[in-house]
């Protein structure tokens, strides 16, 4: 979950900001889309892009946050 840095935690101090800074998409290992995100991004950003798939393969999605941690997801696509 993303944090704006403005919420107060249970100990009375601000919860540190932690937002998505970069989103990238790779198709069969080759980066085909990326976006650098900034503090004004919504808590649940909707990102749309187009990709022409010429062969079956894997699409990998990677999110990187303020602290440098990454989270990934993958999807297999089949082209007939």
């Amino acid at each position: 979950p993303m944090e704006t840095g403005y919420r107060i935690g249970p100990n009375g101090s601000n919860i540190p900001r932690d937002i998505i800074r970069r989103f990238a998409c790779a198709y069969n290992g080759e980066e085909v889309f990326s976006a650098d995100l900034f503090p004004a991004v919504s808590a649940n950003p909707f990102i749309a892009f187009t990709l022409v798939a010429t062969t079956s393969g894997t699409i990998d999605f990677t999110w990187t946050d303020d602290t440098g941690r990454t989270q990934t997801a993958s999807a297999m696509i089949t082209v007939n």
Side-chain angles (χ1 to χ4, degrees), residues 51-67:
L51 170 68
V52 177
T54 55
T55 60
S56 298
T58 304
I59 299 179
D60 298 307
F61 307 95
T62 305
W63 298 264
T64 306
D65 69 12
D66 272 343
T67 63

Side-chain angles (χ1 to χ4, degrees), residues 4-72:
T4 63
Y6 298 115
R7 285 189 335 130
I8 304 297
N11 62 359
S13 63
N14 285 12
I15 298 171
R17 185 181 84 170
D18 189 10
I19 63 171
I20 296 172
R21 300 295 287 184
R22 180 171 169 75
F23 170 77
C25 176
Y27 174 53
N28 285 336
E30 180 182 343
E31 188 173 284
V32 292
F33 176 83
S34 69
D36 291 322
L37 306 173
F38 297 92
V41 71
S42 77
N44 297 301
F46 178 81
I47 300 172
F49 60 94
T50 337
L51 170 68
V52 177
T54 55
T55 60
S56 298
T58 304
I59 299 179
D60 298 307
F61 307 95
T62 305
W63 298 264
T64 306
D65 69 12
D66 272 343
T67 63
R69 290 179 306 202
T70 60
Q71 204 164 356
T72 60

